[in-house]
Amino acid sequence: VYAWHPLPLWEFAGSGHVDAAIVAFLVVALWSRRRFGGAATGVALALGVLVKFYPAVLFPALWRPWGWRREWRMPAAFAAAVVLAYLPFLGVGWGVFGFLGGYMAEEGFTAGGAGFYPWSVAKAVLPLGALPDIAYLATAGCVLAGLAVYLAARPAGADGEVAGREVYGAALLAAAAVFLISPHYPWYFVWLIVFACLVPAASLVWLTLASFLLYLVPVGSTLVRDRHRFLVESAIYVPFLALAAIDLWRRHHREQLTNGEQIAG
């Protein structure tokens, strides 16, 4: 699935975006979670976060802070890897964040909330004009935090089952974060293909393929929200939400059947 997907072929083999390193570290983190757990997972995830920040949303899915697999090594290894990697660059001060400010402007974080498709939809259909954009950021943060608490509190099972749930949880957090932030460059969608290889979800396949439509709305030094952009993003995210609802229902139905068979057995 990954080798023949047009998105990494175009963005990595063709354009050479550094997000390819995130995909590599993400795969190592998922593999380490299944085989070793603990420190190896924390280091691999930290290396991905050091390339770009957004894989940090996967931390709650890959760490079990309580229960039968109580692990302090993962957060310790994660923090140690981040600190050690930044130590050689302390001399540049805040310059270590590089183009982060320019990226936030391009993505619409500083353009009156124009960068967030869900917020644009909400303001178009609801009387939210006087509500500050920080309200959306707070709501999005609460949604991700709620998913994180749910994943951390989910019941444990057999080793293989827990590993499968951790991958599914990571996929859920990744897809939710991408939708809430709604990136404007297709290469920010490539890491979702990793989960499309492991989780049977039509929504992930659609989102990674449909992201090519973003090339119809080029991004300049600052993002401008207009009708054309809104229609293109709607063509991406509305089918994604419908497919995601179907995927979630199917998984819930399969889990109910499995639990029923176990009880009957």
Side-chain angles (χ1 to χ4, degrees):
V1 172
Y2 183 83
W4 288 96
H5 197 291
L7 196 55
L9 286 173
W10 179 268
E11 300 296 352
F12 296 164
S15 301
H17 287 291
V18 72
D19 300 66
I22 294 177
V23 171
F25 290 131
L26 172 58
V27 172
V28 173
L30 295 175
W31 177 74
S32 299
R33 175 72 274 174
R34 191 174 186 90
R35 294 293 300 274
F36 308 112
T41 306
V43 171
L45 184 61
L47 293 175
V49 173
L50 286 165
V51 178
K52 288 186 178 179
F53 292 125
Y54 58 83
V57 300
L58 304 181
F59 190 96
L62 301 182
W63 178 46
R64 295 187 63 83
W66 53 73
W68 72 279
R69 183 177 281 182
R70 191 184 190 92
E71 296 179 359
W72 57 268
R73 292 173 296 175
M74 181 188 168
F78 180 92
V82 170
V83 171
L84 289 174
Y86 269 111
L87 281 178
F89 305 100
L90 288 178
V92 302
W94 291 107
V96 75
F97 292 105
F99 186 67
L100 183 60
Y103 163 78
M104 293 182 69
E106 287 185 358
E107 287 291 296
F109 285 78
T110 59
F116 309 112
Y117 173 75
W119 186 228
S120 299
V121 173
K123 290 197 295 186
V125 300
L126 297 173
L128 302 175
L131 206 61
D133 298 324
I134 191 66
Y136 174 77
L137 294 175
T139 302
C142 289
V143 170
L144 293 176
L147 286 175
V149 171
Y150 162 75
L151 294 172
R154 67 197 184 283
D159 189 24
E161 181 184 6
V162 170
R165 289 187 179 183
E166 286 164 348
V167 171
Y168 175 76
L172 189 62
L173 282 172
V178 168
F179 172 70
L180 291 171
I181 297 174
S182 50
H184 303 111
Y185 295 117
W187 57 87
Y188 283 96
F189 294 76
V190 180
W191 66 315
L192 297 179
I193 304 174
V194 174
F195 301 107
C197 297
L198 303 172
V199 178
S203 55
L204 293 178
V205 176
W206 166 262
L207 190 56
T208 52
L209 289 173
S211 64
F212 276 110
L213 294 175
L214 291 172
Y215 282 113
L216 298 176
V217 282
V219 178
S221 58
T222 58
L223 183 142
V224 177
R225 172 67 61 184
D226 55 20
R227 185 172 182 271
H228 177 61
R229 176 178 296 281
F230 181 80
L231 292 176
V232 169
E233 291 184 340
S234 296
I236 296 173
Y237 292 113
V238 171
F240 162 72
L241 290 175
L243 291 171
I246 296 172
D247 288 334
L248 291 171
W249 179 85
R250 285 179 175 174
R251 180 175 178 86
H252 178 69
H253 183 64
R254 286 196 302 268
E255 288 182 345
Q256 284 186 324
L257 291 177
T258 301
N259 293 335
E261 292 174 356
Q262 290 176 348
I263 293 174

